[in-house]
Amino acid sequence: MPDAAADPVPADPGQSALAPGWLTPPEDPNDLVPAVWPASARRDGDGALTIAGIAAPDLVRRFGTPVLVIDEDDVRTRARRTRRAFVDAAARHGGTARVYYAGKAFLSTEIARWMIDADLGVDVCSAGELEVALAAGVPPERIGFHGNNKRVFELERAISVGVGTIIVDSDIEIERIGAITARTDRRQTVLVRVNSGVHAETHHFLATAHEDQKFGFTLEAAERAVARIRELPLVDFAGLHCHIGSQIFGTGGFRESAARVLELHARLQEADMFTAEGGPVLNLGGGFGIAYTRADAPTPIAELADGIVDAVAEQCAVRGIPLPTLAFEPGRSIVGPAGVTLYEVGTIKSVAVDGPAGTAERRYVSVDGGMSDNARTALYGAQYSARLASREGVGAPVLSRVVGLHCESGDVVVDHEYLPADVAPGDLLAVPATGAYCAPLASNYNHVPRPPVVAVTGGSARVIVRGERIEDLLARDAGIHGAADHPVAAGEGEA
Ligand SMILES: *Cc1c(COP(=O)(O)O)cnc(C)c1O
């Protein structure tokens, strides 16, 4: 790919003056860049996109648009491959590793079962996510419970079902867990979440003494928190936890953070503070980056695992302490690349835009979804890519912005993409890499029903999360169905 930043003269006559430097016109605006698409994505003889052997038009005939399609085998393979990478990397140093799937990336009972099949645990961060994991049959001891404001009823539920680990985030939470374990006479294992001062995002990481964010204890406060946990007779301390951010490329941030956290870990080891069965644990969180566009080149998971685990092992050797059991919590890198959202194109218009190089045209392609099914572009300025899904286009690449149907000018799905000139109303458009943080962040903005999630494998498709209908939205309106008291579930009211 030509490096546009190093070359002020557009290398390609098709390059739009409005295109960002990282995006150049593709040779073929129908190509499917493997890193960005699910493993099974292809084009069939008619030029239609297929996933797991099912053509996009067939999926849309059955499930409508928009629809979030998940390549089940791709998710399962990524889960297995991730666990294998960390287990193998730890084994080379005589250690062990565990992988928890971060359910917040996208959780349903089916997904949770795929994770159990691949021998992963599941992380949850609310009563709702916990109930989904339990309903899926996730063994409670393989559940990790996160959150900076776990409410009392949530902690009571987690402790009563016997979740494997609660990752504690505040002094108040420690007291709550102490009180609940004493009252119910149940033991509970905990990790202490620390804020290492390292925050990583994509290509950069920031390392400060103190980070200004709500999660975790500072390293100093963590030491006091561990001392307090040791006073609680039914609470077992297993180790430290640190999560440095999301969509991270490379290992630099993880290595820096691990070095900082291991200094405290070693002190705790010396003071014999680890009381949980199975020995000390060090959980380094998730955050492994994926490709959203052809400009992203994420590090393969085995390389990441080796780089991180080797660095931890080296630090342990320097400090003369045994390698703890290592734990990781990827979400995005397991489900993100396996998802594709299918939309139908509705309207198209070109807008003349004044730029530094004169006036250029931007083509707006409107689809029948938007920020209600993918909030990431509006929320984080995320970049995505797109391709025609019902056929191959025949026109030259035209810089396009894919927008939704919401009454909001920030309702953008794909900010910049080259699509064939002949894109027309009624075409199906596919946006890849939507498996993570799209369905979970979906809303009913403008009273738009949330789309179904469909898993595809071996030529067959099934709904794993039902789509909403207008009736679902009306059902909550007390002016239609009569005012009712909000039924508070047992225990919820006391938090
Ligand atoms: C969000 C989160 C994860 C998962 O992050 P991904 O970027 O999806 O891998 C893991 N651990 C914690 C504590 C998180 O908050």
Side-chain angles (χ1 to χ4, degrees), residues 102 104-105 123 146 193 241 243 245-247 285-288 329-333 437:
K104 73 176 201 242
D123 269 358
H146 274 281
R193 179 161 180 175
H241 173 285
H243 171 74
S246 220
Q247 184 59 3
F288 312 132
E329 312 173 309
R332 185 192 313 269
S333 59
Y437 301 108

Side-chain angles (χ1 to χ4, degrees), residues 98 187 189 236-238 274-281:
R98 295 181 200 148
R187 297 202 78 82
T189 295
D236 296 315
F237 175 65
F274 298 99
T275 51
E277 240 176 81
V281 173

